[in-house]
Amino acid sequence: MTHDQHPFLDLAPMSAAEFAAIEDKVARLLRTEQDVVIMQGEALLPLEGCIRAAAQPGTVALNVITGPYGQTFGNWLRDCGAEVIDLAVPFHTAVTAEQIRTALAERPDIDFVSLVHAEAATGNTNPVAEIGAVVREHGALFYLDAVASVGAEPLLPDAWGVDLCVIGAQKAMGGPAGVSAVSVSERAWKRFADNPRAPRRSYLSLLDWKERWVDGGRKALLHAPAQLEMLALGACADRIEDEGLDALMARHADAARATREGAAAAGLAPYVHDAKDAAPVATTLRTPEGVDASAVVAAALAADATLPVAAGGGALAHEMIRVNHYGPDARIDVVERVLAVLSEAMHLQKP
């Protein structure tokens, strides 16, 4: 064993200026003028932190459920004492702006709307631009989980009236899972500051970042940064800038289109019925009656363990196959290999 410098271990300390420069790269990616805070944990950290900062007894929240994360957000909101109105739509479709408008008209006191942009778990995506216009007209605070959509499809929090836009780098961006970011509007900061129950002096606290980092001119970090993940996030943003965001999104759209078009030859049907509701980050496929999706995925991975495929979660495990064509796997050759192996695995599973 030698004492040679290790590329993962022997790193110079990260300065506040370097940290802030990576935040600026994320802001450019989101095309936002809002404050961007990079949080030192997986995206569940800002997702939960935003809800706990915004919600309290008296909050009336419209929580849109188009997949499993919507259910999680509803649980957090209720835990904060909010009254939660769940708007659930079938997982094979998307919510519409008109459905949101109707729900808001029925309860004019709704002051918080939570939505997932793209649900990688179910393969759908929601029309955030249209929904944002409706929410802003109503006046509610708009919270968006864009972890699976960023880099795969257009995401414009400022133009769409998104007050809290949470992203993670581990999907379409092709980056690390251990850090995440959120853009925060002035309206959202005010909501947080006015909430006596918002986390303070806590790892969940966005107000700590506002008061000690943003308002302090980003001169002193709150704690030691997750340095490896931060460096990886910066490199990830650089790579996206080099490729071009439009080119990255086009790769994802092409991979999604190829997966839907090639599914029939493999004996599979798209789980999301309408292509306009299908997320470009991942495509979900339905197995025929009597064919266990989990068994098909197991056979496919036994043939090629590198395939970006998984069975659906929970009750969907026996009927759904998810093709995760995101990041470096958003390529036609990857999709063709996945479909070829799935076709052979389907053949082996048929009675």
Side-chain angles (χ1 to χ4, degrees):
M1 182 173 178
T2 69
H3 293 284
D4 292 342
Q5 188 177 44
H6 192 289
F8 293 166
L9 300 178
D10 302 301
L11 299 168
M14 174 169 280
S15 69
E18 290 169 315
F19 192 103
I22 296 171
E23 283 186 338
D24 292 342
K25 291 177 182 181
V26 173
R28 286 198 298 274
L29 176 68
L30 294 176
R31 302 172 187 179
T32 183
E33 298 297 322
Q34 298 177 356
D35 291 325
V36 169
V37 176
I38 296 178
M39 299 198 76
Q40 306 294 280
E42 199 269 340
L44 282 172
L45 176 61
L47 285 169
E48 181 175 357
C50 287
I51 283 179
R52 295 200 180 277
Q56 61 178 308
T59 297
V60 181
L62 177 65
N63 179 51
V64 183
I65 301 177
T66 59
Y69 279 101
Q71 295 165 333
T72 297
F73 301 158
N75 292 338
W76 286 336
L77 286 160
R78 290 182 179 91
D79 191 49
C80 293
E83 179 185 351
V84 180
I85 296 128
D86 285 326
L87 173 56
V89 302
F91 289 177
H92 63 258
T93 185
V95 72
T96 67
E98 202 51 46
Q99 287 173 303
I100 302 286
R101 187 186 300 278
T102 298
L104 294 174
E106 289 175 356
R107 286 296 301 269
D109 53 344
I110 288 171
D111 59 10
F112 186 90
V113 175
S114 49
L115 175 71
V116 178
H117 188 180
E119 289 269 12
T122 49
N124 55 28
T125 192
N126 294 301
V128 179
E130 299 166 26
I131 291 168
V134 172
V135 174
R136 178 49 62 92
E137 180 184 347
H138 181 82
L141 206 71
F142 190 17
Y143 160 100
L144 185 70
D145 172 352
V147 173
S149 59
V150 61
E153 58 186 298
L155 174 62
L156 299 166
D158 290 14
W160 296 348
V162 179
D163 294 288
L164 296 162
C165 183
V166 177
I167 67 165
Q170 67 268 33
K171 289 189 166 65
M173 290 175 66
V179 290
S180 48
V182 54
S183 64
V184 186
S185 73
E186 285 302 319
R187 292 189 339 136
W189 283 132
K190 185 175 188 311
R191 174 77 71 96
F192 295 174
D194 290 344
N195 180 6
R197 293 180 175 234
R200 291 166 169 84
R201 295 168 296 282
S202 162
Y203 205 64
L204 276 171
S205 176
L206 279 153
L207 281 173
D208 286 358
W209 283 96
K210 168 67 169 168
E211 294 166 3
R212 296 170 55 192
W213 173 246
V214 177
D215 292 348
R218 301 192 300 178
K219 302 295 185 188
L221 290 164
L222 275 64
H223 44 67
Q227 189 165 0
L228 278 174
E229 289 82 0
M230 288 295 297
L231 291 171
L233 178 61
C236 170
D238 290 340
R239 186 168 67 179
I240 292 171
E241 286 192 358
D242 289 343
E243 178 178 2
L245 181 57
D246 289 344
L248 177 62
M249 292 190 294
R251 273 203 294 117
H252 283 82
D254 289 345
R257 190 178 307 110
T259 306
R260 285 181 73 89
E261 291 175 354
L268 297 160
Y271 183 85
V272 177
H273 295 180
D274 194 326
K276 74 174 175 57
D277 296 336
V281 71
T283 298
T284 46
L285 303 170
R286 190 187 299 275
T287 52
E289 189 75 28
V291 177
D292 189 318
S294 293
V296 173
V297 168
L301 291 175
D304 184 349
T306 68
L307 293 178
V309 296
L316 299 173
H318 299 297
E319 64 182 61
M320 178 192 284
I321 295 172
R322 191 171 80 231
V323 182
N324 297 317
H325 44 66
Y326 54 68
D329 290 323
R331 303 197 322 264
I332 300 297
D333 62 306
V334 172
V335 168
E336 290 174 344
R337 187 173 83 249
V338 167
L339 292 174
V341 176
L342 284 176
S343 180
E344 182 61 28
M346 285 282 294
H347 179 74
L348 294 173
Q349 296 302 317
K350 285 181 179 177

